[in-house]
Every structure is written in structure tokens, then in C-alpha cells.
Amino acid sequence: MTDSSKRPLAVFDLDNTLADTAHRQRFLESKPRDWDAFFAAAPADPPLAEGIALVLASAEECEVIYLTGRPERCRRDTLEWLAAQGLPEGRVYMRRNDDRRPARRTKLETLRRLARTREIRVLVDDDELVCEDAERAGFTVVRAKWTAPSAALKTAQEREGRT
């Protein structure tokens, strides 16, 4: 049963939705992929204006939640980055450090859990597979198409469960 006394949720992905990861893609193009360097470079991500504007607009009517495939070990850097962008405070859901399941599975699990007690107004994500699965599950989705897709990042999200 949903709690109608609370504002609906607007759920935002981070990488390539709010944060431009282009400068760190090179760490995923090598074999083996350098995950430590990829995540270590995240604090230098430039903000994506379209995503930032959508978060700020959504915050007028919704409680903002951040749902990322980044591992829990990146929490401090992630919270500092969100604050530095002037984004609304909100719960940040991250994957366990040892969780290698595809992003579409981990994110959908979290969405369903949240939806048991709250209305989810929208999910904003750049991962097409996450978006498709969320729509099939009945969620309203906005596809973050304001960055160039990265084949390396897509593989990482789907096959390696890394982001």
C-alpha cells in the first residue's frame, strides 16, 4: 500500500544521465578493464545540463532518489559530487561491492521495493535495457539521451554488472 502522505519519487541514474563519463570511458576500453581507475575518475565528471535541469524541476513536486549501478565503495565520492552540483539531497541506492548482476536486474529490484510504499513518478536513466524492463514493469521512464552511447559502458552494465 502506497503512502499518499508523502511526495512521489523521481528516480535518477547518475552515469551518463547526470554525470558525463566520457572522460573516463578509456578505462573500460582496455583489456582488462581498469575499474579502479574508472571509478576513481568519477569525481571529475562534468554535470550534464539536461539531467541536472530535470532533477531540479522534478524536485519541485517529487522527492528525488538516486539509483546507480556504481558500487557502494564509491558512496563518499558520489555524495560529494551530487552536493557540488547543487542537487537536492536524496537517498542514494548503490550496488553492493560484490554484486555483478546486470544493472537492469538490480535497478528493477530497487524500483519494485520502493514502489511497495511510494508512488514512483518517473525513472530517468540512459541504459536502454533498464528503461525497457522498467517500462514493462509499469514504471514511467524518461530516457536520458543527451550523451553519446558507449559500447564499453553498455557491456559493463549488462554483462559485467559493474555500473
Side-chain angles (χ1 to χ4, degrees), residues 39-90:
F39 289 120
D45 289 353
L48 292 165
E50 298 90 334
I52 301 297
L54 196 51
V55 170
L56 296 175
S58 296
E60 294 176 15
E61 293 185 12
C62 299
E63 178 183 334
V64 174
I65 298 287
Y66 303 98
L67 176 58
T68 179
R70 291 180 186 183
E72 186 63 44
R73 69 179 181 274
C74 299
R75 181 169 291 276
R76 177 180 291 153
D77 285 346
T78 299
L79 293 174
E80 289 174 359
W81 186 91
L82 290 166
Q85 310 316 311
L87 291 170
E89 287 187 19

Side-chain angles (χ1 to χ4, degrees), residues 24-45:
R24 55 188 170 111
Q25 293 299 317
R26 67 184 186 276
F27 298 117
L28 300 183
E29 292 163 2
S30 61
K31 298 283 185 202
R33 290 180 169 85
D34 188 346
W35 289 104
D36 290 338
F38 178 76
F39 289 120
D45 289 353

Side-chain angles (χ1 to χ4, degrees), residues 1 13 15 17-18 31 36 40 42 50-51 78 82 85 89 94 103 123 129 134 139 146-147 154 161-162:
M1 169 181 336
D13 173 46
D15 292 335
T17 299
L18 302 179
K31 298 283 185 202
D36 290 338
E50 298 90 334
T78 299
L82 290 166
Q85 310 316 311
E89 287 187 19
M94 305 179 91
L123 166 69
L129 295 172
F139 295 101
W146 37 83
T147 60
K154 182 175 182 176
R162 293 289 194 139

Side-chain angles (χ1 to χ4, degrees), residues 84-151:
Q85 310 316 311
L87 291 170
E89 287 187 19
R91 287 175 287 163
V92 178
Y93 292 87
M94 305 179 91
R95 73 169 63 236
R96 292 185 326 268
N97 288 330
D98 62 348
D99 188 346
R100 298 286 187 264
R101 293 173 299 151
R104 62 192 168 100
R105 288 196 37 220
T106 60
K107 288 184 176 184
L108 197 58
E109 278 180 13
T110 301
L111 288 170
R112 285 183 169 138
R113 193 169 56 249
L114 291 169
R116 285 199 291 262
T117 59
R118 299 286 292 278
E119 173 197 347
I120 296 179
R121 173 87 36 98
V122 67
L123 166 69
V124 183
D125 202 301
D126 70 305
D127 184 326
E128 187 59 33
L129 295 172
V130 169
C131 292
E132 288 173 4
D133 283 4
E135 283 178 333
R136 271 196 292 276
F139 295 101
T140 300
V141 172
V142 171
R143 285 166 170 76
K145 293 189 177 279
W146 37 83
T147 60
S150 161

